Amino acid sequence: RARATHDGYEVANPRQKLNARFGSRGLEVQAESTRFGMSVRGYGYGTALTHVRQARPIAASNHVEYRRGSFTEWYVNGPMGLEQGFTLSRRPGKANGRMLTITLGLSGNLKAVADSSGTSLKLSRSMGDAVMRYAGLTALDASGKELAASLRVDDRELRLEIDDSSARYPISVDPTISNFTLTASDGVSGDIFGYSVAIVGNTVVVGAAATTVNGNQYQGTAYVFVKPTSGWANMTQTAELTASDGQGGDNFGRSVAISGNTVVVGSPQATVNGNQDQGAVYVFVKPAKGWNDMHQTAKLVASDGVSFAYLGTATAFSGNTIVAGAQYSSDQDPGPGKAYVFVEPIKGGWTNGTQTAELTASNGAPYDYFGYAVAVDSNTVIVGGGLCGGECPGTAYVYVEPASGWANMTETAQLTPSDGGGEDFFASSVSTNGSTTVVGAPYHEFDEAGAVYVFVESAGGWVNMTQTAELTVNATTSQCLGSSVSISGGVILAGADCVHDSTGAAYVFVKPANGWENSSTFALKLSIPFKYQWDHFGASVAISGKVGVIGASYAPTSPPCQAGKCEPGPGEAFLFTEQ
């Protein structure tokens, strides 16, 4: 909440370790011994800018505004950081082909450097790592259409430039000042920390499938993060999970899942009984004294496993049921793939074992990648497949547990897109809450804009059907929307890891009052702070209640470019909470 001062207001953000003051001359943000100031100078087109006069701020709760006629500058102080925005109720003149421009003067003892995508600033000491980040630049018009926007720094002036040539007013411009991440304390370049993420309650699991363990390269690790009593904050792991029999190249952490106090980790390239890349699934049960560095409680494998089946490519977990995809498993070669169901024994809990049931597609064909993505909620399983080696649109298969319990079976229903095309990669990501299933198609449309499809179960149960709704983002560039998807209640979190040359983004969609419908309007766009051009932010997402986690598997944790050379980092995960 904003507190009144002699010249305006101030806010504290302990979670982000930020304090901010709002006076008639502008904003000042402090983080420990550093200070960063910002004040709006003007707005308009090109160099023909309207000078902005000083104004006293007004505040309500955690919201602070400067009102200057048709131009409003606003701030919201929340868990994600200090969010800044500008709202223009009408065009500030004639554009004549020029960009809408907002200029801000910069001050303080931090140096601002724009990233290569033009959407973020790194704010750092003269010779140090980033202290704060001014990130996630987004511009939307009245219809929810995203407008091309970029920023640049010239001496001590920040310029925000927006293409409003086809915009419907009013428009909003919305960056965030934040420094909130989950990282591995022992991370090194190329670990791909964040390739997979999962969350339930106060526990987050992040997979890093390429870590070196005991000298074994690419063996892989899963990291557990537990919410501190003071609330989520920048932090390193609470515990590391590894396989007791792990070997180099196992890809442990390629997929992760969590339910209650139990974590599941896929290791699709593990050798089992001499079968190379057969794959395995590892189960970790939380110790009585809490999570700590540990090996598995149990190891699950396929009784009919074969070489190169890749069991554990995808994993999902709900209640006492684990589902794992094996995208090449079959009695044929090459195979269409299978999904395996493992049910926790009633007595004794999880122990080493084989599957309870196998799920297959009635129309399976070679290279279908069946099992590339899986999801489960209670008695409903969703399996992605039908990709024909990437040449078919794809299919999401629904399996409903029989009254007598899980048994070998083919699908209950098939979910397909009404507008699917070859190479859409539909069903390469799936999520379900039981009655609603979300399916990503990241290469939908010729420019790989991507789409997210929503399927709502009919009154009589799941049947073959096309989508209830299709969600898009009005992309003018490659987005790969649907690279990853997750649903919790009436909220969908979707990754789009191709944005800005794979820097990536994620979008939040909220179920309308009248139910899901076709829409290109999203509630929120989340994007990465100043980092590396190919972070792949959004390659993995997970949401539980009001908390979302987004993986950026190549993000560096320090300035990425040295002497003109940019290298990927170990990866990071970003945690966002609803205000």
Side-chain angles (χ1 to χ4, degrees):
R1 291 179 177 271
R3 299 180 298 274
T5 66
H6 72 282
D7 187 36
Y9 295 89
E10 64 180 6
V11 298
N13 195 319
R15 186 171 297 182
Q16 301 291 338
K17 299 181 181 179
L18 301 176
N19 289 281
R21 293 179 178 270
F22 305 90
S24 58
R25 295 186 178 183
L27 164 73
E28 182 178 276
V29 181
Q30 290 183 316
E32 298 177 347
S33 62
T34 60
R35 181 174 56 84
F36 177 72
M38 182 181 295
S39 60
V40 178
R41 290 178 174 175
Y43 66 98
Y45 293 100
T47 57
L49 304 182
T50 299
H51 177 72
V52 171
R53 66 182 186 279
Q54 289 187 4
R56 284 186 62 86
I58 59 176
S61 186
N62 64 335
H63 193 111
V64 180
E65 287 187 355
Y66 294 86
R67 296 177 181 175
R68 302 178 179 95
S70 62
F71 180 84
T72 300
E73 174 188 1
W74 53 264
Y75 297 86
V76 177
N77 185 42
M80 289 170 55
L82 181 62
E83 182 180 8
Q84 179 193 48
F86 306 95
T87 301
L88 285 78
S89 61
R90 62 176 182 269
R91 293 182 186 275
K94 294 184 178 180
N96 296 324
R98 296 170 297 182
M99 300 285 280
L100 172 64
T101 302
I102 301 171
T103 62
L104 301 96
L106 305 180
S107 61
N109 60 358
L110 293 180
K111 180 181 180 182
V113 179
D115 76 338
S116 59
S117 72
T119 60
S120 303
L121 295 180
K122 178 187 70 172
L123 307 172
S124 62
R125 300 180 181 89
S126 58
M127 294 296 290
D129 293 350
V131 175
M132 289 184 284
R133 298 179 177 92
Y134 183 86
L137 177 62
T138 303
L140 303 174
D141 76 354
S143 68
K145 176 183 177 182
E146 185 174 1
L147 309 176
S150 62
L151 56 79
R152 59 189 177 90
V153 178
D154 184 9
D155 193 17
R156 300 294 281 180
E157 182 177 84
L158 171 63
R159 295 176 65 89
L160 309 181
E161 297 181 338
I162 303 99
D163 181 0
D164 70 341
S165 57
S166 60
R168 288 174 49 195
Y169 272 73
I171 69 169
S172 62
V173 183
D174 185 4
T176 301
I177 299 172
S178 180
N179 59 347
F180 186 66
T181 55
L182 306 179
T183 54
S185 62
D186 54 356
V188 298
S189 179
D191 278 355
I192 58 174
F193 174 96
Y195 192 90
S196 58
V197 296
I199 180 173
V200 66
N202 294 328
T203 306
V204 171
V205 183
V206 181
T211 61
T212 296
V213 180
N214 296 327
N216 297 326
Q217 293 184 332
Y218 305 107
Q219 178 177 320
T221 304
Y223 294 82
V224 178
F225 298 80
V226 178
K227 180 181 179 180
T229 55
S230 58
W232 287 111
N234 293 347
M235 60 186 295
T236 54
Q237 74 279 358
T238 304
E240 295 185 26
L241 310 180
T242 53
S244 62
D245 58 351
Q247 299 295 321
D250 277 359
N251 211 18
F252 176 96
R254 166 64 173 78
S255 62
V256 295
I258 183 171
S259 179
N261 291 324
T262 305
V263 169
V264 172
V265 183
S267 185
Q269 291 183 260
T271 297
V272 178
N273 296 327
N275 293 329
Q276 182 181 352
D277 296 342
Q278 176 178 319
V281 174
Y282 292 82
V283 181
F284 299 79
V285 178
K286 180 182 176 181
K289 294 184 178 180
W291 288 108
N292 54 58
D293 294 355
M294 61 184 289
H295 295 314
Q296 75 276 3
T297 305
K299 180 179 179 179
L300 308 177
V301 297
S303 62
D304 59 350
V306 295
S307 294
F308 308 109
Y310 292 94
L311 176 68
T313 295
T315 54
F317 192 12
S318 176
N320 66 344
T321 304
I322 295 170
V323 181
Q327 67 186 56
Y328 296 123
S329 186
S330 178
D331 299 329
Q332 322 170 36
D333 184 21
K338 293 181 181 180
Y340 293 82
V341 177
F342 302 87
V343 178
E344 182 181 9
I346 296 175
K347 294 183 179 181
W350 290 105
T351 59
N352 294 347
T354 57
Q355 76 279 359
T356 304
E358 296 181 16
L359 308 180
T360 54
S362 60
N363 59 348
Y367 289 122
D368 263 1
Y369 297 117
F370 180 91
Y372 185 86
V374 298
V376 60
D377 185 271
S378 185
N379 67 339
T380 303
V381 170
I382 311 297
V383 182
L387 292 167
C388 311
E391 296 180 358
C392 297
T395 301
Y397 296 84
V398 182
Y399 298 80
V400 177
E401 181 183 8
S404 57
W406 287 107
N408 294 351
M409 61 187 292
T410 56
E411 73 276 1
T412 305
Q414 295 184 17
L415 310 180
T416 53
S418 62
D419 58 349
E423 301 181 359
D424 275 6
F425 230 49
F426 175 90
S428 59
S429 63
V430 297
S431 182
T432 187
N433 64 9
S435 61
T436 303
T437 293
V438 182
V439 182
Y443 302 143
H444 181 60
E445 299 293 358
F446 70 93
D447 57 356
E448 298 182 356
V452 172
Y453 294 80
V454 182
F455 298 81
V456 177
E457 182 182 11
S458 65
W462 288 106
V463 295
N464 293 350
M465 62 186 295
T466 56
Q467 73 275 6
T468 305
E470 182 176 347
L471 308 178
T472 57
V473 293
N474 274 339
T476 56
T477 59
S478 176
Q479 300 272 325
C480 298
L481 177 69
S483 311
S484 53
V485 293
S486 183
I487 183 171
S488 179
V491 179
I492 293 171
L493 178 60
D497 73 344
C498 295
V499 182
H500 303 304
D501 292 326
S502 298
T503 296
Y507 296 86
V508 177
F509 298 89
V510 178
K511 181 180 178 181
N514 296 326
W516 291 107
E517 59 187 11
N518 292 347
S519 177
S520 60
T521 300
F522 48 89
L524 183 65
K525 178 183 178 181
L526 306 172
S527 53
I528 199 168
F530 174 80
K531 290 292 182 180
Y532 171 66
Q533 189 175 7
W534 293 281
D535 287 314
H536 287 282
F537 176 86
S540 61
V541 299
I543 185 170
S544 176
K546 295 184 177 182
V547 183
V549 182
I550 303 170
S553 52
Y554 289 99
T557 53
S558 59
C561 298
Q562 302 292 336
K565 295 183 179 181
C566 295
E567 298 293 338
E572 294 180 340
F574 294 78
L575 189 145
F576 298 90
T577 59
E578 181 181 339
Q579 298 180 21

